[in-house]
Amino acid sequence: MSLSVLIRRGWLSLLLVAVLALTPTTAPLVAQSSDNARYAAIVVDAESGEVLFQRYADNRRFPASITKVMTLYLTFEALSEGKIKLDDVLTVSSHAASQPPSKLGLGAGQTISLDNAMRATAVRSANDMAVAIAEHVGGSESRFAARMTAKARELGMTQTQYVNANGLPDSRQITTARDLAVLARAVMRDYPQYYRYFGLHDWAYNGRDYRNTNGLLRAGNGYDGMKTGYTNASGYNLAASSVRDGKRLITIVLGGRTTASRNAHVAALMDTGFDVERARARGETIQIAQTFFESRGFGVGQELPGGVEYASAATEDAADEGVAYTAVVASQPQPLRVTPAPSEVRAAAPVQRAEVRTTADLTATLNGGNAPARAAPPPARPAARPPARTPAGAWSVQVGAFRDETVASNWLTEVNRRFRTQFASAERTVQNAEGWYRSRFTGMSEQAAQGACAALAERRVTCMVIRPQG
């Protein structure tokens, strides 16, 4: 299979609760794949350090260019200690010049100021400039890498090891999502005066304009910095930070399939984290934030009854490998107040087929409304009339729900591009439901909707079939 085909395969971020319509004996669907060796995520309150959500946060991963956060951390340290200055002139060595892209492309012997080299590293993710900085600060890249590992231990990054300054592939260079969150907090805490480098939207140098590889910086919503990364082995990585209502959160996602879907996953995790913070500010008791995230469909959920059909439980996000997760069974509507004991969280509720539940909640809103009501059993007399036939062309397929309308629209376009055959006769629409923008294909027959969702499931793209209303 060609690399281009593999790159087009993605995994939609866990923005929805992926479920199957259950019978009393149905167990959660487990979508296992060897590809899930790359995904990891964590959401952290930057001030308190509280972990709001984590998934594989302590499993070792490849950092790729997020490595450069540590490279710049040590540079900030040297600047604050007066060992180097922003206007220092760096001479590019042959070793630095030989680094593969992405790079600024200066030749051996050419010069650049330290300030511009730092900007190139943060904005352009220039591998050559990261090495040039390492040589300037540490004497050689190898000595600098040893200092990077030592600093990681000092900061409490117990699972991280560095062997180069730019994150280019090396099986010895490893980290975890938790360690990267520790590093992100350390940058903000120790060198707030230099954190701005990670938030530069663009940078002009030698007549060229360079745009930051972190597209979320241009999305608003308080995003103000951190770093992207990608190699074939790592997938698409992103460390992001956002400030809203006076609160700062840090989100790390590793192992994404594409830039767009990785960004969407980070945005969804970040939105959910801020929902937790806002709920607490209103006096809501949320003792275990992880449970709140799980009620939104992130991570592994509990087995509970449900009435909405979903196709798949994978996320969407990488280059040549995929990441699959355990599907979460649809829960009954849960209140914003999430304070059950651990045993209660995992307990399966009984299936009550005659009961119609109509309580609106966050999960129902995310999934497009309340779970469809099930008709009560017909009385013995008179006999129940046959159900009304659903008009053809009134079914829909939902492929995502996002806080950002642009993200929702872009994802709808991407799914349509990849599944043109399945949605050839459908209309694309982004529907706003209480601040959630739902990406939907509408105007489909039941057979077409079910078939399209099945096709998406085979490619590990999450979707759900929406029956006509009324």
Side-chain angles (χ1 to χ4, degrees):
M1 189 175 295
S2 69
L3 178 61
S4 61
V5 172
L6 290 169
I7 290 176
R8 288 195 297 270
R9 291 191 175 181
W11 48 283
L12 176 62
S13 61
L14 291 176
L15 306 174
L16 303 172
V17 182
V19 308
L20 296 176
L22 299 181
T23 66
T25 59
T26 303
L29 170 67
V30 178
Q32 296 293 342
S33 169
S34 61
D35 296 339
N36 62 3
R38 301 196 306 179
Y39 174 79
I42 193 168
V43 181
V44 176
D45 184 302
E47 182 178 0
S48 68
E50 178 190 2
V51 175
L52 303 179
F53 171 79
Q54 58 182 316
R55 181 75 168 139
Y56 305 124
D58 296 306
N59 290 21
R60 290 187 171 188
R61 301 288 185 257
F62 297 120
S65 282
I66 297 183
T67 293
K68 297 181 176 86
V69 176
M70 178 60 86
T71 299
L72 291 177
Y73 180 95
L74 288 181
T75 306
F76 300 158
E77 182 180 69
L79 284 166
S80 66
E81 294 174 352
K83 295 178 179 178
I84 56 176
K85 297 180 180 179
L86 288 174
D87 59 1
D88 283 356
V89 176
L90 283 60
T91 299
V92 179
S93 69
S94 58
H95 174 57
S98 69
Q99 299 301 301
S102 64
K103 61 192 298 183
L104 191 58
L106 297 185
Q110 289 189 275
T111 59
I112 186 172
S113 70
L114 175 60
D115 177 59
N116 275 325
M118 292 166 63
R119 292 170 184 266
T121 301
V123 175
R124 175 70 172 170
S125 196
N127 294 322
D128 50 355
M129 293 300 99
V131 171
I133 291 171
E135 292 173 339
H136 182 71
V137 176
S140 71
E141 185 183 18
S142 60
R143 285 197 293 271
F144 187 83
R147 289 176 57 182
M148 292 169 72
T149 299
K151 180 57 67 174
R153 295 294 178 274
E154 180 182 323
L155 294 175
M157 300 167 64
T158 60
Q159 301 297 312
T160 297
Q161 176 174 305
Y162 296 104
V163 295
N164 64 51
N166 50 27
L168 285 171
D170 190 304
S171 61
R172 299 168 295 168
Q173 185 135 319
I174 53 176
T175 190
T176 66
R178 189 184 306 276
D179 278 4
L180 292 178
V182 169
L183 176 58
R185 290 188 70 213
V187 170
M188 300 170 192
R189 178 193 66 229
D190 300 339
Y191 304 109
Q193 70 273 34
Y194 297 120
Y195 174 72
R196 60 186 172 81
Y197 280 93
F198 293 111
L200 294 170
H201 288 208
D202 48 48
W203 168 64
Y205 181 74
N206 277 357
R208 289 190 60 184
D209 293 325
Y210 298 94
R211 177 171 289 188
N212 199 304
T213 56
N214 181 3
L216 288 180
L217 292 177
R218 298 181 292 278
N221 288 327
Y223 291 102
D224 65 358
M226 295 319 282
K227 189 70 187 72
T228 61
Y230 170 77
T231 65
N232 285 333
S234 72
Y236 288 86
N237 298 344
L238 177 59
S241 184
S242 177
V243 178
R244 304 175 198 175
D245 302 321
K247 283 283 189 178
R248 178 184 289 279
L249 298 184
I250 295 165
T251 297
I252 311 291
V253 167
L254 307 178
R257 280 193 177 274
T258 68
T259 299
S261 52
R262 173 205 63 195
N263 288 356
H265 189 44
V266 169
L269 288 172
M270 197 76 84
D271 288 342
T272 304
F274 281 112
D275 284 345
V276 171
E277 299 286 12
R278 281 190 288 269
R280 286 173 169 173
R282 293 193 301 266
E284 305 278 358
T285 302
I286 302 178
Q287 295 178 351
I288 306 174
Q290 179 85 16
T291 305
F292 186 97
F293 275 81
E294 289 178 1
S295 77
R296 293 284 184 86
F298 298 98
V300 178
Q302 62 271 30
E303 180 180 354
L304 290 169
V308 182
E309 287 191 15
Y310 289 75
S312 160
T315 65
E316 207 292 301
D317 226 87
D320 52 2
E321 297 180 11
V323 179
Y325 300 86
T326 303
V328 184
V329 180
S331 64
Q332 294 294 342
Q334 300 177 17
L336 189 61
R337 195 181 192 84
V338 183
T339 56
S343 59
E344 295 174 327
V345 172
R346 303 189 183 281
V351 175
Q352 301 182 18
R353 297 186 180 279
E355 182 178 350
V356 178
R357 300 188 183 266
T358 60
T359 304
D361 76 325
L362 294 170
T363 302
T365 300
L366 180 60
N367 293 340
N370 297 329
R374 302 187 182 206
R381 356 174 167 147
R385 290 183 294 178
R389 297 179 62 85
T390 299
W395 291 70
S396 303
V397 172
Q398 180 166 312
V399 294
F402 307 85
R403 284 296 193 185
D404 188 286
E405 184 176 9
T406 301
V407 173
S409 179
N410 290 344
W411 178 243
L412 192 63
T413 301
E414 172 67 13
V415 174
N416 184 68
R417 181 188 68 79
R418 293 166 52 195
F419 297 93
R420 286 192 180 93
T421 301
Q422 286 75 19
F423 298 113
S425 61
E427 296 182 2
R428 284 177 280 170
T429 179
V430 175
Q431 301 175 357
N432 185 358
E434 299 182 22
W436 286 96
Y437 294 94
R438 302 190 302 233
S439 306
R440 289 186 174 182
F441 293 92
T442 61
M444 304 177 71
S445 67
E446 179 180 4
Q447 181 178 4
Q450 297 286 1
C453 225
L456 268 64
E458 291 180 0
R459 297 289 296 275
R460 296 193 294 276
V461 176
T462 301
C463 69
M464 78 176 169
V465 174
I466 307 294
R467 64 182 66 251
Q469 301 298 312

